[in-house]
Amino acid sequence: MNLRDLFYESKKLRPERKKELEQFCRNLDVHFKNLNILDLAFHHRSFSNENKEHKRYNNERLEFLGDSVLGLATAAFLYEDMMDNPEGDLARIKANVVSEQVLAPIAKDTMHIDRYLVMGRGEELSGGREKKAILADAVEAVIGALYLDSGYAAAEKLVLRLIVPEIRKVQLDKGNRDYKTVLQEYYQQKHKVCPVYELVRMSGPDHDRTFVVSVHLGDVCYGPAEGKNKKTAEQHAAQMACEALGLE
């Protein structure tokens, strides 16, 4: 058995799907020796949930791998690019540019991932192609797929092409702010303790959860705020607190 078969099932590509994937590669100027692994990167878990014969054919493992490659490539670039900055500055920018808020627009506007996604009927009908979490996860899955197919150098090249423009925006203070970090630095400096985030409730089915979170600064509570995952909801709650405290 080929080692790669341990990571995903073999799946014969239809000619029209192969053409679609080749078009994706041309648009992004990347090359895959094995288009099957790229195809896997676009398969949301709702597809495997509804198609039991492909119960392991989804992009979650590739997303896990791609997240690490994305983080390493971004951190290495920041280390070399910002030689005079302390670790805190690098960490703040990294957290910003690898976030769902940044990756989702890259997925849709630069990579056009929404055109290639494969998902279950329920997810399709609920607007899955427009969901930030699904789009951002697919970016990481594509990075993971390219790493497995062509090695770290190829994956790093793609990451930097996508992420460096976002780094420059943040360096010029034109990007999305990492409100959790802003709030934590402010509150720790003032009170020597961290903000406390509370998961108020979750709602919706597994494939379309909504998380509601509040943030507590001592006896004062800000929120609640919503997000499609806990991390995003916490960012929104932190933003509400920052705005109320005049930290914008």
Side-chain angles (χ1 to χ4, degrees), residues 32-245:
F32 274 82
K33 298 186 286 290
N34 187 341
L35 288 175
N36 261 31
I37 196 168
L38 175 60
D39 182 59
L40 176 62
F42 296 123
H43 278 66
H44 185 252
R45 69 174 179 269
S46 60
F47 171 82
S48 56
N49 288 344
E50 292 184 14
N51 296 270
K52 299 306 181 184
E53 69 274 23
H54 297 302
K55 63 181 179 180
R56 292 187 298 275
Y57 204 87
N58 65 60
N59 65 6
E60 290 186 336
R61 291 174 61 88
L62 287 177
E63 174 203 338
F64 166 78
L65 181 60
D67 175 67
S68 295
V69 176
L70 171 64
L72 175 58
T74 302
F77 176 83
L78 289 170
Y79 181 84
E80 295 293 337
D81 189 65
M82 301 177 67
M83 296 295 290
D84 296 327
N85 293 73
E87 179 270 344
D89 290 349
L90 277 61
R92 187 161 48 247
I93 293 178
K94 176 177 176 286
N96 190 308
V97 299
V98 302
S99 68
E100 178 183 302
Q101 291 91 331
V102 170
L103 293 180
I106 288 174
K108 189 169 176 61
D109 300 333
T110 302
M111 302 173 76
H112 308 297
I113 279 177
D114 53 308
R115 303 175 187 175
Y116 303 93
L117 289 171
V118 179
M119 55 187 62
R121 177 173 171 78
E123 189 64 69
E124 187 80 65
L125 293 176
S126 68
R129 291 181 189 277
E130 301 297 322
K131 292 179 181 177
K132 288 184 178 180
I134 291 177
L135 291 167
D137 289 349
V139 173
E140 293 177 341
V142 169
I143 292 168
L146 186 58
Y147 168 76
L148 284 182
D149 182 85
S150 302
Y152 179 76
E156 180 188 44
K157 182 178 179 181
L158 174 61
V159 168
L160 295 183
R161 191 169 0 124
L162 298 173
I163 294 299
V164 169
E166 302 302 326
I167 290 174
R168 298 305 184 216
K169 290 178 187 177
V170 180
Q171 288 172 333
L172 294 171
D173 201 29
K174 294 181 180 179
N176 297 318
R177 299 189 73 183
D178 180 3
Y179 289 100
K180 283 186 66 176
T181 300
V182 172
L183 184 63
Q184 180 166 321
E185 289 181 347
Y186 162 80
Y187 198 64
Q188 273 189 316
Q189 183 176 16
K190 192 163 185 167
H191 297 284
K192 311 303 180 187
V193 293
C194 293
V196 177
Y197 292 88
E198 176 192 4
L199 179 61
V200 178
R201 65 179 180 275
M202 295 185 296
S203 61
D206 288 345
H207 68 274
D208 189 22
R209 282 279 173 87
T210 296
F211 294 78
V212 180
V213 170
S214 294
V215 59
H216 298 267
L217 304 182
D219 295 331
V220 182
C221 178
Y222 297 93
E226 294 185 357
K228 283 302 179 183
N229 56 52
K230 189 177 177 183
K231 184 177 178 181
T232 301
E234 289 176 349
Q235 278 285 355
H236 292 165
Q239 181 177 356
M240 294 175 69
C242 286
E243 290 171 351
L245 293 167

